[in-house]
Amino acid sequence: MNVYLVTRAGLERHDAAAVAALRHRSDGFVWVDVPAGDPDTEHLLATLFGFHPLAVKDALERNRLPKMHAYPDCVLVILHGPEPGARGHVHYLELDQFIGHDYLITVHGPVNPAVDPASAERETVAVLNRLESGRLTVESPLELSHAIVTALTRTLEEYLEQATADVWRLEQQVTGGHVGHPEQFLEELFRVRHGLLAVRTMAALSGAIYGRLAALDGLPDGHTPLVSDNADQFARVRRLADGEREYLQGVIEFYHGLLTLRATTAAARQSEEVQRLTEASYAQSEEVKKISSWAAIFFAPSLVAAVYGMNFDHMPELHWLLGYPFALALMVASGVGLHRVFKKRRWL
């Protein structure tokens, strides 16, 4: 862990063993920055500072929601910051603060193994660099906390800035007709939307925490505006995220409308093709009927002629005087009869 004595003259680095002695210094206050997974965290919080067991438990475990608890000697504030992950996932980086009248303890909560531990300390390192360079001076733990939380809201804004760039790029792809594979494009749309929703949720919940903190009695004189400023910062990020989310929703709806129009057009073309094939099949069926009808008409006389054309010695009516006219009449009658039957059925 990193131990500092913050004075008007600047910043002094000390060993962890000097924490108890530094608390008795009247020329400044103690800032202890505890990285994630530090084995001495529980001893620091429970023994050296004597915090409530529930407060120690909150600092050691992962908290899925921001929270604020006011104790007689300090205020515990738990916040989250975003860290982009693989396939659009947003990691929640936890920052816990114990804000007392003569100390500030920042504890970086458990970090996902997929996240660089240095990312969790981004805000505190940024503030530390400003203090060491003289670009920032603070006179109380609450002022230092205000600077750290301001750095956290800048992280939210930077994430929102990148998400906005993605929204604009996706909107240009939609309006330009260069969306590529629909499934991949829709997946990218919803990844960006997920990021905006994550930032919006962080800002909204953190803003509610600082709104409640600003209403607490017992804040040092002149420090309530600092807490209110942090609340306003979170509210601004939430409004920006809402605006970009609505803009992206418009892009999604526009793209959905294009997909619907394309699907309707394709369905209409397919319906026309099916209708054309149906009409062709119907016409082909009618032609088959006609061909079959004429084939049957000509088959009947051919059958009679074939039977009477056989040269057997013993055949009925072979020597009958009217046999030939009868055969011709039978051929004509069978053909005419079949023609009438098929005509009645509208096959001809």
Side-chain angles (χ1 to χ4, degrees):
M1 65 183 66
N2 301 305
V3 179
Y4 309 98
L5 179 68
V6 184
T7 66
R8 292 184 178 182
L11 196 71
E12 298 179 8
R13 292 177 179 264
H14 293 272
D15 294 332
V19 172
L22 292 175
R23 292 193 63 186
H24 297 289
R25 295 272 295 267
S26 60
D27 56 338
F29 65 90
V30 179
W31 176 25
V32 182
D33 187 42
V34 184
D38 192 306
D40 298 327
T41 304
E42 185 173 5
H43 174 73
L44 170 76
L45 302 179
T47 304
L48 294 182
F49 283 86
F51 292 136
H52 193 281
L54 291 179
V56 176
K57 181 175 180 292
D58 284 336
L60 294 177
E61 298 180 355
R62 182 176 183 180
N63 297 275
R64 291 170 176 79
L65 291 174
K67 62 178 65 175
M68 187 273 290
H69 291 295
Y71 296 96
D73 56 343
C74 73
V75 176
L76 169 62
V77 179
I78 298 175
L79 302 174
H80 293 103
E83 178 66 19
R87 298 183 58 81
H89 179 67
V90 180
H91 297 284
Y92 281 55
L93 303 184
E94 183 175 327
L95 174 64
D96 306 335
Q97 300 178 87
F98 291 86
I99 309 172
H101 69 281
D102 61 350
Y103 61 83
L104 173 67
I105 302 176
T106 51
V107 181
H108 303 280
V111 178
N112 190 305
V115 178
D116 182 3
S119 300
E121 303 175 31
R122 180 171 41 226
E123 289 76 28
T124 54
V125 169
V127 172
L128 176 62
N129 292 335
R130 294 175 62 199
L131 287 171
E132 290 181 329
S133 65
R135 291 181 290 116
L136 173 67
T137 57
V138 294
E139 298 183 0
S140 68
L142 199 54
E143 287 186 20
L144 179 57
S145 172
H146 172 267
I148 294 173
V149 175
T150 299
L152 178 60
T153 57
R154 288 198 190 100
T155 299
L156 291 169
E157 291 175 348
E158 289 173 0
Y159 192 100
L160 187 58
E161 174 69 23
Q162 181 58 49
T164 301
D166 292 336
V167 171
W168 289 5
R169 174 178 54 82
L170 294 171
E171 188 268 343
Q172 290 174 356
Q173 288 182 247
V174 171
T175 55
H178 306 293
V179 297
H181 196 280
E183 289 187 8
Q184 295 177 355
F185 187 74
L186 281 173
E187 185 177 353
E188 190 171 4
L189 281 172
F190 285 103
R191 283 180 186 175
V192 176
R193 184 185 181 190
H194 170 68
L196 290 173
L197 183 60
V199 171
R200 194 265 180 202
T201 302
M202 291 179 188
L205 296 179
S206 299
I209 292 296
Y210 269 80
R212 181 185 171 198
L213 183 59
L216 283 180
D217 295 330
L219 289 178
D221 293 339
H223 285 69
T224 300
L226 295 178
V227 179
S228 299
D229 180 63
N230 285 140
D232 290 341
Q233 292 174 11
F234 285 121
R236 184 182 70 254
V237 173
R238 176 182 57 81
R239 289 192 296 269
L240 291 173
D242 282 338
E244 289 302 322
R245 192 160 58 96
E246 291 178 5
Y247 187 83
L248 178 60
Q249 184 61 32
V251 176
I252 293 175
E253 292 176 359
F254 180 69
Y255 182 57
H256 181 266
L258 288 178
L259 291 180
T260 302
L261 179 60
R262 291 176 183 176
T264 303
T265 304
R269 292 176 180 174
Q270 185 177 12
S271 178
E272 292 175 358
E273 183 66 18
V274 170
Q275 183 178 0
R276 188 186 66 80
L277 293 175
T278 302
E279 292 175 353
S281 178
Y282 177 78
Q284 185 178 13
S285 177
E286 292 298 315
E287 292 298 326
V288 170
K289 288 180 181 180
K290 292 180 181 179
I291 295 173
S292 301
S293 299
W294 285 112
I297 291 172
F298 286 108
F299 174 74
S302 299
L303 178 62
V304 175
V307 171
Y308 281 95
M310 292 185 292
N311 296 321
F312 292 104
D313 290 337
H314 302 286
M315 290 183 63
E317 295 100 16
L318 184 61
H319 300 287
W320 183 32
L321 182 62
L322 298 178
Y324 180 68
F326 175 75
L328 292 176
L330 182 60
M331 293 179 188
V332 173
S334 61
V336 171
L338 288 173
H339 184 274
R340 288 184 176 180
V341 171
F342 292 137
K343 192 74 173 178
K344 185 176 182 181
R345 293 187 177 184
R346 296 183 180 179
W347 285 25
L348 292 175

